[in-house]
Every structure is written in C-alpha cells, then in structure tokens.
C-alpha cells in the first residue's frame, strides 16, 4: 500500500525538520565543514557496517556505475550538507527549512532536464510563488534584509539543487537496495568532505575542532548521525524507490512546518510578515503537490493494463536493518 510506503519519507522529513535547529546550535562550537565531515565520517562507518552485515562484500562494487555514484554522492551528501551548514551561518533555521521545502519543485525541473518530463506551467507558477514566500520570511518584508537572502539564499539554492539531483538519481538505481545506494554514495560524499575539510584546515580558512568542542556538541552529533544521517537517509531512499522521486520529494513540504514548531517551542516568536511568507510558501507547495498527484492519477488511469507482472525489487526496511 502506498500509504504504508509514505511512512518512510515522512519519517525522513520530520527528522530533517528537527535537524536544522540542532545543527545551528552546534555551529557555535565547530566550523560548518568540519561539523559536516565529522557527522558523515561517523554515519558512513555505521552504514558500511550495516551493508557488510546485510549484503556482504559484493555490495561494495559499483558494477560499472562508479562515476555516477561518485557524482551523486558529492552532490547529495557533500553538496547539500556542506552548503546547508554554511547557509545556517547566514540565516535562521526556519528560513533554511523553507528553502529545503522547494525540493519537490526543483526535482520536477531536474526530471525535465534529465528525462524530458516537462512540468506543467502551473507548477512553475507555484514555484515562483513559493520563492516569494521564502523571500518574505528571510527579509521579513524589508529591503535591508536582502543581504541575508543573497548569501544564505544562494547557498541553499545550490544545496537544494544538489539534493534534487541526488533524489532523482536514487530512482534510477532500482536494482540496488536503498541501503546499498545510500552507503556507496555516502562513501563518495564523505571522501569529498574529508578532502575539502583538510584543505580548509591547512589553508587556515577554518580551524580543526578541539576535543572539548566535539564533546560539547556530542548530543547534536548523535542526533545528526544516527537519526538524521543514517535512519532518515535510508528511509528517504526507501521511499524514493517505493513511491518514485517526484512523489517522495513532495514530503519535503513538511520540513519547514517541523522546524517552525521546534523554533517556536524553543522561544522564537515569528513576526506577521514571516508567518504570511511561511503560509504562502507552504500553500504554494501543497498546491503543487495536489497538481502533481492529480496529473499522476490521470496518467495511471489512461495507461494500458500490462500483460505481465514483474516483481518489484526487494527493499530494505531501515528500521528492520538496525534492529537486526
């Protein structure tokens, strides 16, 4: 049942909605690139152990798709996470979360470029409307807030584009388990992060964190590694394979809702313009969701009934993997 499959991306986006405030608090002690690298070194080690225990050494082979795996890993893991952490230094978590919620529409554009699946004009209109809402939240309706939009916004545009390409790429690895796709791309992305972090440390652009700093952010790292990096990404890639990239990406609409709730609980009080902007963004994305689903339902209804039935590839339940 598709409703059961929806639990996977739902768990992922709720985890990521909480992640933005968590990472923002850790960035007060550790530089963005070092924090991201430490997070994914630990997460990748866990993923590798799970993959070896579950599928054996043979699963580490890319099977002639090494270049694609590396490119997707660098874009999805290194690109999205490094750029997001850097953006958190220029904008509030709830602002960053709104950018992340534009992933469904960006994924539609990626499908257009890569597969020739052209989005409907109404989707492009909703995309612009959503960006207007994001702009209202970040600038708080004031022109002197455009500086924050310029730095944090540009970083997040790059981050979202990288994640949209990664999400689309997951749907092309139907012969692989979500655990295998997640692990091999994580290895590639982590290698890129390590290289970038070492370069930045040696050049003096950032400073290697002291042991006391890592201990101070240990709770944030634990959440970011176990929940947001391992369980959430496994759940996300499982959802992409079961629902398709476009349908799974629609769940990103819930990221800013979760982040706004967390920030409000922590004492943040958004202004009227921010609330209007957030509502506009979420409404535009929800409308795009309905349009996409309506079109998909029409397409399925018009499609001919297949003569033969082919079994879907076996999927890995991330909760079951960890429990074993």
């Amino acid at each position: 049942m598709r409703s059961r499959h929806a639990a996977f991306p739902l768990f992922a986006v709720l985890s990521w909605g909480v992640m933005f405030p968590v990472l923002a608090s850790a960035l007060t002690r550790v530089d963005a690139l070092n924090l991201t690298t430490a997070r994914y070194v630990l997460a990748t080690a866990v993923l590798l152990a799970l993959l070896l225990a579950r599928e054996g050494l043979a699963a580490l082979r890319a099977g002639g798709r090494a270049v694609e795996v590396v490119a997707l890993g660098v874009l999805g893991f290194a690109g999205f996470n490094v750029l997001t952490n850097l953006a958190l230094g220029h904008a509030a978590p709830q602002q960053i979360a709104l950018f992340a919620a534009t992933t469904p529409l960006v994924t539609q554009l990626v499908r257009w470029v890569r597969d020739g699946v052209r989005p409907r004009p109404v989707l492009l209109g909703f995309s612009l409307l959503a960006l207007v809402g994001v702009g209202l939240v970040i600038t708080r309706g004031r022109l002197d807030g455009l500086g924050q939009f310029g730095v944090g916004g540009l970083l997040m545009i790059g981050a979202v584009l990288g994640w949209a390409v990664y999400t689309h790429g997951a749907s092309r690895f139907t012969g692989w388990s979500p655990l295998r796709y997640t692990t091999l791309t994580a290895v590639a992305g982590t290698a890129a992060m390590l290289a970038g972090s070492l370069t930045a440390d040696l050049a003096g652009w950032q400073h290697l964190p002291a042991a006391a700093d890592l201990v101070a952010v240990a709770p944030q790292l634990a959440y970011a590694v176990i929940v947001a990096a391992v369980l959430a990404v496994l759940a996300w890639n499982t959802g992409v394979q079961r629902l398709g990239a476009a349908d799974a990406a629609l769940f990103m609409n819930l990221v800013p809702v979760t982040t706004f709730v967390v920030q409000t609980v922590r004492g943040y009080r958004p202004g009227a313009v921010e609330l209007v902007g957030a509502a506009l963004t979420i409404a535009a994305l929800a409308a795009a969701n309905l349009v996409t689903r309506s079109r998909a339902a029409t397409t399925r209804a018009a499609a001919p009934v297949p003569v033969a039935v082919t079994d879907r590839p076996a999927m890995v339940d991330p909760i079951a993997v960890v429990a074993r």
Side-chain angles (χ1 to χ4, degrees), residues 56-97:
L57 283 171
L60 295 178
R61 301 189 184 95
R65 307 184 72 174
V67 173
E68 190 176 4
V69 166
V70 170
L72 290 170
V74 171
L75 284 172
F77 281 95
F80 177 79
N81 290 287
V82 170
L83 291 176
T84 296
N85 279 356
L86 289 172
L88 282 167
H90 299 277
Q94 62 271 20
Q95 299 168 348
I96 298 303

Side-chain angles (χ1 to χ4, degrees), residues 70-278:
V70 170
L72 290 170
V74 171
L75 284 172
F77 281 95
F80 177 79
N81 290 287
V82 170
L83 291 176
T84 296
N85 279 356
L86 289 172
L88 282 167
H90 299 277
Q94 62 271 20
Q95 299 168 348
I96 298 303
L98 279 174
F99 267 103
T102 63
T103 300
L105 296 172
V106 177
T107 302
Q108 294 286 335
L109 297 177
V110 170
R111 290 181 69 210
W112 185 10
V113 172
R114 296 205 60 182
D115 298 337
V117 181
R118 184 174 182 175
R120 298 170 66 180
V122 67
L123 286 178
L124 298 180
F126 283 134
S127 176
L128 293 174
L129 192 60
L131 289 179
V132 169
V134 171
L136 287 175
V137 172
I138 291 182
T139 65
R140 295 179 174 88
R142 297 171 56 183
L143 291 178
D144 57 3
L146 289 174
Q148 284 189 335
F149 180 86
V151 178
L154 287 176
L155 289 169
M156 280 308 298
I157 287 173
V160 169
L161 182 59
W163 190 252
V165 173
Y166 178 80
T167 296
H168 178 269
S171 66
R172 300 165 73 91
F173 283 74
T174 53
W176 290 19
S177 69
L179 176 60
R180 184 182 181 190
Y181 176 76
T182 303
T183 302
L184 294 191
T185 51
V187 168
T190 301
M193 285 184 248
L194 272 172
S197 192
L198 287 173
T199 301
D201 286 334
L202 291 174
W205 299 333
Q206 63 178 18
H207 302 287
L208 193 68
D213 293 323
L214 292 177
V215 170
V217 300
Q220 294 96 315
L221 267 180
Y223 178 86
V225 170
I226 298 171
V227 180
V230 176
L231 292 178
V233 177
L234 278 174
W236 179 258
N237 287 331
T238 301
V240 169
Q241 287 203 7
R242 294 189 178 189
L243 297 174
D247 282 353
L250 294 171
F251 284 84
M252 292 295 285
N253 298 348
L254 295 175
V255 170
V257 177
T258 306
T259 303
F260 264 87
V261 169
V262 172
Q263 289 295 85
T264 301
V265 170
R266 296 179 66 197
Y268 177 76
R269 294 296 179 264
V273 175
E274 288 180 272
L275 291 174
V276 170

Side-chain angles (χ1 to χ4, degrees), residues 29-84:
R29 297 294 296 264
V30 182
D31 293 317
L33 185 51
N34 278 325
L35 179 65
T36 309
T37 302
R39 175 189 174 199
Y40 273 98
V41 165
L42 295 172
T44 300
V46 174
L47 289 168
L48 278 170
L50 289 174
L51 182 63
L52 289 173
R54 179 81 180 188
E55 301 183 29
L57 283 171
L60 295 178
R61 301 189 184 95
R65 307 184 72 174
V67 173
E68 190 176 4
V69 166
V70 170
L72 290 170
V74 171
L75 284 172
F77 281 95
F80 177 79
N81 290 287
V82 170
L83 291 176
T84 296

